[in-house]
Amino acid sequence: MRFTIAIDGPAAAGKGTISKAVAQHFGFAHLDTGLLYRAVGAQMLAGVPPVEAAQTLQADALDAAKLRSADVAQAASKVAAIPEVRAALVDFQRAFASRAGGAVLDGRDIGTVICPEAEAKLFVTATPEVRATRRHLELTAAGSSTDYATVLADVKERDARDMNRADAPLRPAADAVVLDTSQLSIAQAIAQAIAAISSKQQR
Ligand code: DC
């Protein structure tokens, strides 16, 4: 069976948590496509030209733990605006999406560009302030001393870059279900996501 679930949205809206839970619920494989751009961004910071980094990217470079920092996130957002970088990453994502057994991909352009034919599409969002609060808590828990104002500025800067780039900008697909998690607990957000996807499965 082939069934693709596309989950897009801005940074720290809860996409990652929801995508993992959805993949587990349906027994599907999950790809966090932000990791591809983060791996290219990390290589750019290490001096590798981004297009070359994208064209030679290896699966073992997608180590989530090493790619979490704010510097890598900003670098990822910058390399993601380069059309040749995006083009180099398309085939890998489409191959993953079409695997037998079902797939969940989360990112910015999955429902609009990578998998416009996805059976289920969600656009997960929340206000910039709520997203910054969540990210700030995560960073504090991990031992970082970054203040809230810096995190909020970072979230807004990345939003602006991701939404305003010419190639594959962040926006909901016309047929996406929009899930605003600002007022939802994690459990509520996951339940609503699963309900929205289940309704597409039954058609
Ligand atoms: O989801 P994330 O925060 O790990 O993504 C890091 C950056 O990568 C994000 O700011 C924009 C870019 N990205 C993208 O352009 N397209 C995707 N499908 C996923 C991420």
Side-chain angles (χ1 to χ4, degrees):
M1 181 217 46
R2 259 191 57 180
F3 193 93
T4 307
I5 301 173
I7 302 187
D8 292 304
K15 297 189 302 295
T17 306
I18 291 173
S19 300
K20 280 190 205 111
V22 160
Q24 198 180 14
H25 176 86
F26 291 100
F28 291 0
H30 170 225
L31 178 65
D32 168 2
T33 64
L35 282 183
L36 303 173
Y37 295 91
R38 284 173 182 262
V40 174
Q43 290 211 38
M44 179 181 77
L45 294 177
V48 181
V51 175
E52 185 186 319
Q55 286 168 346
T56 56
L57 194 67
Q58 301 291 322
D60 60 8
L62 306 179
D63 180 341
K66 289 195 187 133
L67 299 172
R68 283 219 177 280
S69 75
D71 287 354
V72 170
Q74 285 292 353
S77 173
K78 286 180 189 155
V79 300
I82 304 171
E84 292 85 351
V85 166
R86 305 198 71 82
L89 302 175
V90 167
D91 288 350
F92 180 82
Q93 295 174 83
R94 291 204 177 132
F96 192 94
S98 62
R99 60 169 55 201
V104 180
L105 284 83
D106 78 86
R108 302 291 189 287
D109 62 339
I110 308 304
T112 50
V113 174
I114 302 296
C115 305
E117 310 297 328
E119 282 77 8
K121 298 180 185 177
L122 291 182
F123 191 84
V124 179
T125 189
T127 65
E129 289 73 19
V130 166
R131 291 186 282 123
T133 301
R134 290 178 187 160
R135 185 51 55 90
H136 183 237
L137 273 173
E138 253 172 45
L139 289 169
T140 309
S144 160
S145 56
T146 316
D147 64 2
Y148 170 78
T150 305
V151 178
L152 179 61
D154 202 66
V155 160
K156 287 185 173 171
E157 187 185 338
R158 216 140 62 88
D159 280 359
R161 203 184 292 114
D162 294 347
M163 290 192 272
N164 295 318
R165 68 180 175 226
D167 190 15
L170 169 66
R171 60 177 177 78
D175 52 349
V177 173
V178 177
L179 184 59
D180 187 330
T181 66
S182 304
Q183 310 287 337
L184 301 179
S185 67
I186 293 176
Q188 286 170 328
I190 291 170
Q192 291 194 15
I194 290 172
I197 296 161
S198 298
S199 75
K200 306 278 177 190
Q201 256 191 331
Q202 284 150 13
R203 289 201 180 156

